[in-house]
Amino acid sequence: MRQEFWKELNEARHQGVCKYWENVFPEANVIDFNLLVELNQYIVSVTGQNVLQNNSASISGAHADARIKPFFTEFINNYKRIDTEIDFNSLLFFSFSDSHHSVNLHRDTETVFLIQGYGECVFVAVNDDGSQKDLYRMKTGDAIILPPMYSHKSVPLGPRVTLSLGGLPKQHSH
């Protein structure tokens, strides 16, 4: 179904570059506020922690939800591991307004793969030496891959929910 997409994604990863695709996941419309509220209710019933009430901007372990699991499974089945990547994560990042962004420009140790669900968000991506800054306006179904240690941040354009999937490198013990 998306074989050419996964081929492009893995090639971009091999080259260590950021790459963006429009509407490659049209079914991402299920990644919405209903899903967010229901997943939060599950977390409250299991852990007693209410992510939405605590003003958090993310929920981890999102692949436990049946609506997210197909995205997570497709990612795992098509993602070509590099070096010591042995584990995967899944998070839902969300904002209730355009006055909140994820954090300042930052880098993650893992590959970051984002699928836009509800709303629109601009992702700022900056190459290693800071000489190139790209802006990607993501709408429902759009996706972007960011290599490890690639500077980025989100700028919501209104309420939004974004699925983040990552390939985590093995932690080395000292």
Side-chain angles (χ1 to χ4, degrees), residues 13 72 75-76 79-82 84-90 108-113 145-148 164-170:
R13 290 189 63 245
F72 187 72
F75 176 70
I76 289 172
Y79 178 91
K80 304 279 189 234
R81 295 176 189 200
I82 295 177
T84 64
E85 293 174 330
I86 60 168
D87 199 7
F88 299 97
N89 65 14
S90 63
D108 294 310
T109 58
E110 73 268 15
T111 295
V112 176
F113 177 58
I145 188 86
L146 300 161
S164 174
L165 303 172
L168 300 162
K170 179 181 176 182

Side-chain angles (χ1 to χ4, degrees), residues 2-151:
R2 284 187 266 263
Q3 288 133 345
E4 190 60 34
F5 160 75
W6 289 109
K7 182 179 174 186
E8 288 178 20
L9 179 138
N10 285 307
E11 182 60 31
R13 290 189 63 245
H14 179 73
Q15 295 173 0
V17 297
C18 174
K19 186 154 173 79
Y20 167 76
W21 296 266
E22 286 186 25
N23 203 32
V24 72
F25 288 92
E27 72 276 22
N29 62 354
V30 302
I31 304 171
D32 62 9
F33 281 100
N34 289 326
L35 171 108
L36 192 66
V37 169
E38 291 171 24
L39 191 53
N40 185 62
Q41 284 305 110
Y42 171 76
I43 292 169
V44 169
S45 66
V46 172
T47 69
Q49 293 185 329
N50 187 329
V51 176
L52 300 181
Q53 194 173 42
N54 294 337
N55 295 322
S56 178
S58 68
I59 294 178
S60 62
H63 63 278
D65 187 275
R67 292 160 288 189
I68 296 294
K69 192 158 188 84
F71 298 101
F72 187 72
T73 302
E74 184 175 346
F75 176 70
I76 289 172
N77 289 340
N78 292 283
Y79 178 91
K80 304 279 189 234
R81 295 176 189 200
I82 295 177
D83 297 327
T84 64
E85 293 174 330
I86 60 168
D87 199 7
F88 299 97
N89 65 14
S90 63
L91 297 101
L92 288 174
F93 288 102
F94 58 91
S95 305
F96 295 116
S97 72
D98 61 359
S99 64
H100 179 271
H101 59 86
S102 64
V103 290
N104 292 327
L105 202 61
H106 67 283
R107 297 175 184 204
D108 294 310
T109 58
E110 73 268 15
T111 295
V112 176
F113 177 58
L114 302 167
I115 300 172
Q116 187 62 30
Y118 181 84
E120 292 185 29
C121 193
V122 171
F123 278 89
V124 179
V126 182
N127 68 346
D128 287 341
D129 65 9
S131 64
Q132 182 176 345
K133 184 183 291 184
D134 294 306
L135 303 176
Y136 302 96
R137 185 174 183 151
M138 294 185 59
K139 299 177 184 143
T140 302
D142 294 353
I144 191 169
I145 188 86
L146 300 161
M149 303 308 293
Y150 205 91
S151 296

